[in-house]
Amino acid sequence: MDKEDGLNRAIKKYVEKTPGSKEFLSQTNEVMPGGVTANIKSFDPHPVIMKKGMGAYLYDVDGNEYIDYLLSYGALMHGHGHPEINKAIHTQIEEDGTSLFGTPHALEVKMGKKIQALYPSLELLRYTNSGTEATLLATRMAYAYTGKNKIAKFEGHYHGGFDQVLLSVNPPIDEVGLQHEPNAVIESRGVDSYHEEHTVILPFNDLEAAANILSKRRDEIAAVVLEPVQGGFIPAEQSFMDGLRKVTEELDILLIFDEVKTGFRLGLGGAQAFYKINPDITALGKVVGGGFPVGMVGGKKEIMMVSSPKASSDVFDSSQSLKSSAKDVLFHSGTYNGHPTILAAGLATINLLEKELHNVFAVTNQLKEGINKLFAKRGVAMQTIGLGSIFNVVITEQDKILNYRQLQQSNFKIRKEIDFRLLCEGIYTKPLNRYSLSTVHGEKEINRTLDAYDRVLMQLF
Ligand code: PMP
């Protein structure tokens, strides 16, 4: 029997195990297009609909229990409902008497100082409400500071849901063009072809080719933005990082680290501490919100100061005649920016991590090694790829996966079958997604996961 049949059988079993999720989707379809409010939450034949979370576990509407390795795409570093985070939220609201001041406040400074200590390249920072807003602001900062109007990003890298970066994230392989000079492939309806010209696509982990493109277009490109670890699991090589920093400096192009996934997951100081690189601008999100919507953008003082309202007026200033024009200052605003309750949750998250992050790394390595051994036992070529507290299981005979095109050559079909079978065994990640761990994943969860893997691989190989 071929593997397609195997996948169909695995999906059938999953459908049998999750009738309540299927039924519930008909209700979500009545209120949201495609039944979801974020496209990533959708998968065929239907996503699992969760009803309760506790520690490392999620429970679906059918009462099935899952060990959660998706952790809301990596955001939950302490699992679900951590008491210290819950306490911090309640304390903030009770002591401050409100969830929102609408003015600068103490927690903005407290969090800012904490971030500056752990990420010294963030000399000044601004708060946003999501990773998308953070990378969007970082891009505008780069345009404003350099006076140039193009951005370079790497093929296979995701930076959120706005027009300039919704290109070549997961492009069809027959549209990607040359390896050393990738095409810019638009990946959302509604994004104008203008962006094919204004977003330059670079090949990841290929310094020579990337440097070549950058030097040819140095007068147009304001910044290079990258996920230091592509998709959270394909690491940049150290020599590539060192070279990219050097080349961008030489060409007067800013370097933006999108650390929305890697921040606090690769180490307390993120990828920049790991690689010992000082980016010009950094975007943070996910973990640092403690399970609530947050983003941060920070960087060199002289760059960040382009948003300082003291320098000029802004669109809300009615006394415009007294100052210079709004367009002299980078506009950045937001009703909820620096939300006190979220910053309290974020600070509690960091405080806990300062004590416990090394344990998460140890547990992650234990799981990776266990999975590697189980595949090896069955003679299946694969790799667990990743750093810190995130990794992915890639079924491949290739030596090393360094970029999007190599990843596309791996066996997604078998991986998907494994994932659906694991879902039936109570191991949760969205099919084909990476694994993230938390401080509440321990020996018990790892053993249960490896037992489930063993049973699934036995059925398959
Ligand atoms: N950048 C990266 C690297 C991300 O992983 C994500 C989210 N997956 C974003 C930006 C966007 O963040 P958000 O979903 O909070 O808008």
Side-chain angles (χ1 to χ4, degrees):
M1 241 176 271
D2 70 26
K3 288 298 162 204
E4 188 58 45
D5 280 343
L7 176 57
N8 286 339
R9 276 200 308 278
I11 292 177
K12 197 163 160 245
K13 208 170 152 215
Y14 163 76
V15 171
E16 281 164 14
K17 194 130 197 242
T18 54
S21 289
K22 185 178 176 195
E23 161 64 25
F24 197 82
L25 199 68
S26 63
Q27 290 183 45
T28 64
N29 270 321
E30 286 170 20
V31 291
M32 297 174 286
V36 290
T37 190
N39 290 4
I40 197 167
K41 294 183 191 170
S42 173
F43 66 82
D44 282 338
H46 56 258
V48 195
I49 309 290
M50 299 298 182
K51 200 174 169 192
K52 194 173 166 63
M54 211 192 303
Y57 296 85
L58 277 173
Y59 300 86
D60 72 9
V61 288
D62 289 297
N64 295 311
E65 180 181 83
Y66 302 86
I67 301 174
D68 184 9
Y69 288 103
L70 192 62
L71 291 172
S72 281
Y73 298 89
L76 301 174
M77 197 69 214
H78 302 296
H80 299 274
H82 195 288
E84 292 288 317
I85 298 173
N86 289 350
K87 196 170 115 200
I89 295 164
H90 290 125
T91 306
Q92 183 278 314
I93 295 175
E94 273 160 29
E95 287 187 1
D96 293 349
T98 179
S99 59
L100 207 53
F101 293 106
T103 69
H105 60 89
L107 281 163
E108 290 174 340
V109 177
K110 203 167 170 192
M111 174 63 95
K113 299 247 181 223
K114 191 90 188 167
I115 297 291
Q116 285 168 335
L118 293 169
Y119 296 75
S121 77
L122 278 74
E123 294 169 9
L124 290 176
L125 62 84
R126 278 283 174 95
Y127 298 104
T128 68
N129 304 295
S130 68
T132 294
E133 278 183 52
T135 50
L136 175 59
L137 176 59
T139 307
R140 187 184 289 160
M141 286 267 179
Y143 291 166
Y145 180 74
T146 63
K148 300 188 254 183
N149 68 357
K150 291 189 177 143
I151 183 122
K153 73 173 283 290
F154 288 89
E155 190 173 81
H157 291 212
Y158 178 67
H159 301 294
F162 62 97
D163 293 8
Q164 284 109 324
V165 293
L166 275 175
L167 293 97
S168 299
V169 178
N170 199 3
I173 212 74
D174 57 350
E175 291 180 31
V176 294
L178 299 171
Q179 161 66 29
H180 65 278
E181 221 170 53
N183 290 339
V185 182
I186 288 181
E187 288 191 89
S188 170
R189 211 161 143 173
V191 173
D192 195 90
S193 58
Y194 163 93
H195 295 288
E196 285 167 357
E197 306 302 321
H198 287 77
T199 299
V200 176
I201 308 299
L202 305 172
F204 189 51
N205 271 326
D206 183 343
L207 183 62
E208 198 184 328
N212 212 1
I213 298 169
L214 293 174
S215 63
K216 271 196 236 152
R217 307 182 72 171
R218 64 180 297 178
D219 297 332
E220 307 156 55
I221 296 173
V224 176
V225 59
L226 85 159
E227 287 193 78
V229 179
Q230 179 184 315
F233 65 95
I234 304 178
E237 298 204 294
Q238 184 69 50
S239 58
F240 173 79
M241 271 300 195
D242 292 338
L244 188 67
R245 177 65 284 191
K246 192 159 169 273
V247 165
T248 45
E249 251 161 23
E250 281 165 9
L251 298 174
D252 280 329
I253 293 173
L254 299 181
L255 182 61
I256 303 174
F257 266 25
D258 178 351
E259 295 232 41
V260 171
K261 281 194 201 82
T262 51
F264 298 95
R265 280 207 163 271
L266 216 61
L268 286 170
Q272 47 203 273
F274 181 87
Y275 286 103
K276 299 191 174 53
I277 298 277
N278 252 349
D280 299 299
I281 306 178
T282 297
L284 290 168
K286 291 197 195 270
V287 169
V288 75
F292 293 88
V294 89
M296 296 176 193
V297 181
K300 289 209 172 90
K301 190 172 175 183
E302 64 183 87
I303 300 173
M304 295 303 293
M305 283 303 282
V306 298
S307 65
S308 169
K310 288 197 194 80
S312 174
S313 153
D314 77 19
V315 290
F316 299 128
D317 194 332
S318 49
S319 61
Q320 284 173 12
S321 57
L322 301 175
K323 297 180 180 176
S324 55
S325 142
K327 71 175 191 277
D328 292 337
V329 176
L330 178 145
F331 179 79
H332 173 238
S333 206
T335 304
Y336 302 106
N337 292 356
H339 194 291
T341 318
I342 298 176
L343 295 186
L347 278 164
T349 299
I350 300 173
N351 290 340
L352 281 167
L353 263 189
E354 285 178 328
K355 287 176 252 158
E356 298 175 25
L357 188 58
H358 61 282
N359 281 340
V360 188
F361 290 175
V363 172
T364 310
N365 284 336
Q366 205 184 329
L367 180 60
K368 277 158 81 172
E369 280 163 23
I371 293 174
N372 288 341
K373 276 193 196 138
L374 291 173
F375 275 96
K377 193 166 92 178
R378 311 211 169 259
V380 181
M382 56 75 71
Q383 293 171 35
T384 45
I385 305 176
L387 298 170
S389 59
I390 321 178
F391 71 93
N392 213 343
V393 175
V394 182
I395 318 287
T396 182
E397 295 191 352
Q398 296 167 90
D399 281 348
K400 211 167 185 188
I401 304 283
L402 290 172
N403 60 39
Y404 174 74
R405 296 185 194 200
Q406 288 171 350
L407 182 66
Q408 291 312 105
Q409 288 168 34
S410 68
N411 196 331
F412 290 128
K413 217 182 264 174
I414 293 194
R415 168 69 206 272
K416 215 168 174 179
E417 182 175 347
I418 293 171
D419 289 353
F420 275 105
R421 289 187 187 275
L422 284 171
L423 280 175
C424 295
E425 295 274 349
I427 307 300
Y428 182 67
T429 190
K430 183 185 163 185
L432 297 183
N433 216 286
R434 61 192 177 273
Y435 289 68
S436 295
L437 278 89
S438 80
T439 51
V440 295
H441 286 68
E443 199 77 23
K444 183 173 128 210
E445 287 72 31
I446 300 307
N447 289 339
R448 252 177 86 171
T449 307
L450 292 175
D451 287 347
Y453 250 98
D454 201 16
R455 284 192 295 275
V456 165
L457 295 184
M458 196 159 52
Q459 291 159 19
L460 259 148
F461 302 107

